[in-house]
Amino acid sequence: MNIRALLKEPISSSELLANLRSRLEPMAAKSRYIAENMPELVQETIANAEEAYKGMIKLPGTGGVREFVGNPPCWLERRHNDNEFLWQLNRMTHWQDLLEAYSLTQEEKYGRKVIDELLNWIETVEIHEEMIDYPIDYFSKCHPLRALELGIRSYKTWPLVLEHLGHTELFTEEVLEQYLWAVYKQIKILRKVSPILWPQADHNHFLMECLGILTTALYFPELKEAEEWKAFAIDGIERCAAAQLTEDGGQIEGCPSYHNGCMFWFGLAVVLAKRFHFRFSERYMELLRKNLDYSIYSLRPTGKCVPVGDSHANHLAIMGGVYGYMALDDLTWLGLATNLIDTREIMREAGKHVWRALDVPRFYHDLNALQGKRYECDKLTTFWNRTLHQAIIRSGWDSEALSFLFTCRSPIQNFHAHIDLMSFDFTALGKNMICDPGVFCYREDEDRKQFKSANYHSTLLIDERDHFEYLGSFAYGPQKIGEIYNVEDRGFYQIASAYHLNYEPIVHHRHMALVDQRLVVIADRVEGLEQNQVQRYFHLDFTEVEIVPEAVVAASDIANLAIYTYPRGDTELLPGRLSDVNDIARASTRVRFQGTYSGTATFLTVLAPFRGEHLPAVSIRSFADGHYEFDCGERYQVVVKEREMTIHKPV
């Protein structure tokens, strides 16, 4: 193996290793500071490293528990009927704990384990020169050389081998040669196939693949292609920002988990730019700043993001805040997160990224400064992303606030979307009440279909049909227009309105309003019915639910919810599941209101969150042509028209 063939200048392996070491971070100083100041992080890292050392890893398909993957791992084995198992195993994410544990403890076994696995992977996963000319669909299939894995390894885990072990005797000239040949062949392929797979730069995969190309070029500027790779990657990341970061704030796929991931990836690009002395454009930085706000808007008052689309209800808004801080030297987003998330959780989640901080003591000091403070928020409580067709309306920026995310986007952006037109997620009084079910898994199975289906979301169906056809985990039938067309603050109520045509000739309009910061009023107007069944689903994060004469009542130790609706029709409680993380779901309850209607039918629903045993007294009265009145401490008059709902308080 002669690495000189890859280099601009004919230098030796020892010279190349010396050059590389001159570019690495001062890992000894970092690890010493972390060991002295972050004992909980150190303890967790070492515990995880011990499990990884034994070959016990948690992956998609393993049911949320660790599973023995081999020692060394069986890199080519697909388990549990889950492609993600093989893909994520080949991202080597478990190396991060092993490498950090090595730097913290200097125990050779952790570093040796990573080197052994690296060399075993290179031997097992053969990369031939002719692969670069394989059909493009080869690089989307289930094997370790899928384009996304080429990118993720190259920016996220393989560079950590250099940082943590590059200064040590474990990382010999021979290991460097093996590493460089392997990463070179992977990036050579990726540079060709990635722009073919993602010509519009409108997917998070292209962003990560560009990061892999950029990182390799920065660590190894001696490579012949390094300058071209660097220029391509910077331009590609700029194109990703222009194509994916919307003017209203929010990554184009409309999934909060992927959005927060993108804040990491776009922010990490800036961290690399700071470290290796180049800049991204002012426009890029402006879009990054604006889109960081969505990480906070899509955060439930209870502290986890709304899992709309392929998202999990998790704390990844913290990660968005961390990289907002690292990229822009601005604590705003981390500070706002502390209003809704326990500071200990902020410290725990943010601490996972401390190794990427260019100034670890400053990062740690600034994080600690957030404790015990309330961060003042001047952001509006009514948010409308016109590209994503999402509205987020909340009563305030505290954990007790009422908040809902309402979505209606058709045709979809990509297949991370679910069949959830005019669905919503509602939180109140410190309790998740009506919830998006989350992603659960990416497998081609009935679980995936169920979690993506319309009747697992809080929306309206005609004759129990999905809004558009489910063809597979990442495949749908054609879709017609659906959009949120108005979001407005009208004083004592804030409203969002949407419609879709996927049931043509039947048309469905839905209006949602937060009223007096204590109720949510929903009006559904359905036109063109001809003896059709209409189902209205509400997916409750409650297991104690009962149907009483005047309402459906859901109870918990935190807060309760009463659902009043007119006309009510047949009412049924159905089992549901909600998922916060891969492969794990908890029991929930779906409420279905159902009836048969012709012509135009209008339905009014009032969501009344409350505490204690006393049910809010709400009675809905209907008048002609979409006019309603209801009482709940005050009297409200509601008028529902085709594209409008108005609410009045009669004097």
Side-chain angles (χ1 to χ4, degrees):
M1 181 182 300
N2 182 6
I3 64 169
R4 292 177 181 81
L6 312 180
L7 308 178
K8 300 173 192 173
E9 304 293 336
I11 62 174
S12 67
S13 296
S14 61
E15 290 174 294
L16 181 62
L17 183 55
N19 290 351
L20 173 65
R21 285 172 171 168
S22 72
R23 289 188 284 271
L24 299 178
E25 293 235 69
M27 201 55 67
K30 276 191 173 184
S31 58
R32 186 165 52 250
Y33 187 90
I34 292 167
E36 291 172 355
N37 292 277
M38 306 179 75
E40 291 182 5
L41 175 65
V42 171
Q43 184 178 7
E44 182 178 355
T45 299
I46 294 173
N48 290 339
E50 278 296 315
E51 293 296 324
Y53 184 78
K54 293 183 286 189
M56 300 296 294
I57 302 173
K58 187 188 302 182
L59 290 167
T62 64
V65 299
R66 293 181 180 271
E67 179 174 296
F68 183 65
V69 298
N71 193 6
C74 302
W75 303 110
L76 305 179
E77 185 177 359
R78 177 182 179 272
R79 296 184 191 173
H80 307 295
N81 190 34
D82 198 328
N83 291 349
E84 289 287 335
F85 178 94
L86 183 144
W87 284 330
Q88 294 199 29
L89 174 64
N90 281 272
R91 296 173 189 177
M92 296 89 166
T93 306
H94 63 286
W95 285 3
Q96 183 170 347
D97 287 313
L98 287 164
L99 291 165
E100 291 171 3
Y102 172 80
S103 289
L104 290 166
T105 67
Q106 294 300 298
E107 285 196 38
E108 183 176 314
K109 69 174 187 177
Y110 299 127
R112 174 60 61 193
K113 169 77 168 171
V114 172
I115 294 294
D116 289 346
E117 288 193 5
L118 171 71
L119 297 178
N120 177 261
W121 187 90
I122 292 170
E123 181 181 1
T124 302
V125 182
E126 298 180 7
I127 309 174
H128 306 293
E129 288 187 11
E130 64 269 18
M131 283 181 171
I132 199 168
D133 295 318
Y134 279 14
I136 196 67
D137 67 345
Y138 174 82
F139 298 100
S140 298
K141 293 182 178 178
C142 186
H143 53 71
L145 300 181
R146 184 174 68 143
L148 181 59
E149 276 58 62
L150 296 175
I152 290 177
R153 280 192 295 272
S154 302
Y155 89 81
K156 189 174 184 181
T157 50
W158 282 38
L160 298 182
V161 180
L162 306 178
E163 293 291 358
H164 288 275
L165 302 180
H167 285 296
T168 74
E169 293 181 359
L170 290 171
F171 199 80
T172 63
E173 292 173 21
E174 291 74 20
V175 172
L176 170 64
E177 291 175 359
Q178 294 258 33
Y179 181 107
L180 188 58
W181 266 106
V183 77
Y184 174 85
K185 287 186 287 186
Q186 292 177 78
I187 297 301
K188 187 89 170 175
I189 292 170
L190 190 59
R191 170 64 183 89
K192 178 180 179 180
V193 306
S194 187
I196 299 172
L197 287 169
W198 313 110
Q200 305 303 316
D202 58 353
H203 199 288
N204 67 79
H205 285 203
F206 186 60
L207 174 56
M208 285 184 273
E209 289 159 18
C210 285
L211 269 176
I213 296 170
L214 176 63
T215 303
T216 304
L218 295 175
Y219 276 91
F220 294 104
E222 294 87 357
L223 291 170
K224 289 178 180 177
E225 292 91 342
E227 290 181 16
E228 195 278 334
W229 287 352
K230 177 182 174 183
F232 167 82
I234 292 172
D235 178 70
I237 294 168
E238 290 269 5
R239 288 177 59 224
C240 285
Q244 297 181 35
L245 300 183
T246 64
E247 289 295 333
D248 293 317
Q251 196 262 355
I252 196 169
E253 294 169 62
C255 303
S257 285
Y258 281 96
H259 169 88
N260 288 321
C262 285
M263 294 302 95
F264 162 41
W265 301 315
F266 283 116
L268 178 59
V270 179
V271 175
L272 289 171
K274 288 181 175 182
R275 179 177 167 188
F276 290 96
H277 311 296
F278 63 95
R279 291 177 180 270
F280 285 94
S281 69
E282 290 300 317
R283 177 60 175 157
Y284 177 97
M285 301 301 285
E286 175 190 352
L287 283 169
L288 175 60
R289 177 176 290 276
K290 183 178 293 185
N291 278 261
L292 282 160
D293 282 353
Y294 182 84
S295 294
I296 302 303
Y297 275 109
S298 59
L299 192 62
R300 291 167 171 161
T302 49
K304 293 185 178 180
C305 76
V306 178
V308 64
D310 277 345
S311 290
H312 296 301
N314 55 30
H315 291 304
L316 281 186
I318 298 171
M319 184 173 70
V322 165
Y323 286 89
Y325 165 81
M326 288 186 182
L328 302 170
D329 298 313
D330 190 336
L331 275 171
T332 295
W333 302 280
L334 272 177
L336 292 175
T338 63
N339 291 355
L340 305 177
I341 303 172
D342 186 275
T343 308
R344 291 169 297 181
E345 189 63 32
I346 296 275
M347 295 293 291
R348 181 177 178 277
E349 286 293 320
K352 295 176 182 178
H353 303 273
V354 67
W355 294 92
R356 292 193 183 273
L358 299 181
D359 186 339
V360 170
R362 181 187 170 202
F363 176 67
Y364 180 72
H365 174 271
D366 290 348
L367 267 183
N368 272 291
L370 294 172
Q371 298 191 69
K373 292 184 178 179
R374 174 169 177 78
Y375 217 86
E376 291 304 316
C377 182
D378 59 357
K379 300 190 184 302
L380 299 175
T381 54
T382 301
F383 171 87
W384 180 14
N385 188 299
R386 293 161 179 80
T387 305
L388 305 182
H389 290 286
Q390 289 182 2
I392 305 172
I393 294 175
R394 62 205 310 139
S395 62
W397 290 98
D398 60 273
S399 60
E400 294 282 298
L402 277 66
S403 175
F404 66 77
L405 185 152
F406 178 45
T407 183
C408 183
R409 185 185 194 178
S410 180
I412 61 169
Q413 164 66 23
N414 64 39
F415 296 113
H416 282 303
H418 289 192
I419 309 173
D420 58 357
L421 301 183
M422 289 193 277
S423 183
F424 68 96
D425 185 282
F426 173 54
T427 301
L429 306 180
K431 174 80 174 79
N432 302 323
M433 295 202 162
I434 297 177
C435 291
D436 190 285
V439 58
F440 187 70
C441 71
Y442 292 97
R443 292 186 294 274
E444 197 70 65
D445 62 13
E446 286 302 309
D447 283 324
R448 176 70 163 162
K449 182 178 181 180
Q450 185 176 64
F451 273 80
K452 295 191 85 169
S453 295
N455 68 19
Y456 242 53
H457 293 79
S458 299
T459 186
L460 181 147
L461 281 67
I462 303 297
D463 298 327
E464 285 287 9
R465 290 185 286 124
D466 279 334
H467 302 145
F468 40 86
E469 188 179 7
Y470 180 92
L471 299 176
S473 179
F474 286 97
Y476 291 135
Q479 303 121 53
K480 298 180 181 180
I481 291 295
E483 63 180 8
I484 292 180
Y485 54 81
N486 186 49
V487 178
E488 211 174 327
D489 188 333
R490 296 177 177 172
F492 75 90
Y493 72 100
Q494 296 77 46
I495 188 170
S497 299
Y499 83 110
H500 78 87
L501 302 178
N502 283 274
Y503 287 135
E504 267 187 331
I506 297 170
V507 181
H508 175 208
H509 286 260
R510 171 169 277 189
H511 311 279
M512 287 193 66
L514 176 62
V515 180
D516 279 335
Q517 301 188 359
R518 66 190 186 97
L519 303 168
V520 170
V521 174
I522 304 169
D524 290 295
R525 180 184 169 100
V526 188
E527 303 165 349
L529 296 165
E530 294 185 5
Q531 285 294 298
N532 297 100
Q533 282 197 330
V534 176
Q535 293 85 25
R536 289 175 295 136
Y537 282 93
F538 298 86
H539 200 150
L540 309 186
D541 193 1
F542 293 85
T543 54
E544 295 183 23
V545 183
E546 63 176 330
I547 301 169
V548 299
E550 63 270 31
V552 173
V553 181
S556 77
D557 294 337
I558 302 171
N560 313 315
L561 176 67
I563 303 175
Y564 301 86
T565 191
Y566 182 91
R568 181 157 150 173
D570 296 329
T571 307
E572 190 175 359
L573 303 181
L574 303 170
R577 291 186 295 166
L578 301 173
S579 176
D580 296 327
V581 296
N582 270 355
D583 300 319
I584 298 176
R586 63 182 187 277
S588 58
T589 306
R590 292 179 298 145
V591 181
R592 180 175 65 189
F593 300 107
Q594 180 172 238
T596 302
Y597 304 91
S598 292
T600 296
T602 305
F603 308 90
L604 192 75
T605 303
V606 177
L607 307 178
F610 67 101
R611 286 200 173 103
E613 298 179 357
H614 299 292
L615 192 66
V618 176
S619 58
I620 302 173
R621 299 172 292 280
S622 174
F623 303 95
D625 193 25
H627 287 63
Y628 298 88
E629 187 173 273
F630 72 91
D631 297 294
C632 187
E634 288 190 77
R635 189 155 56 100
Y636 299 92
Q637 292 178 343
V638 182
V639 179
V640 182
K641 298 182 180 178
E642 178 186 13
R643 294 180 62 87
E644 174 67 293
M645 176 177 75
T646 56
I647 303 176
H648 305 279
K649 295 181 182 182
V651 178

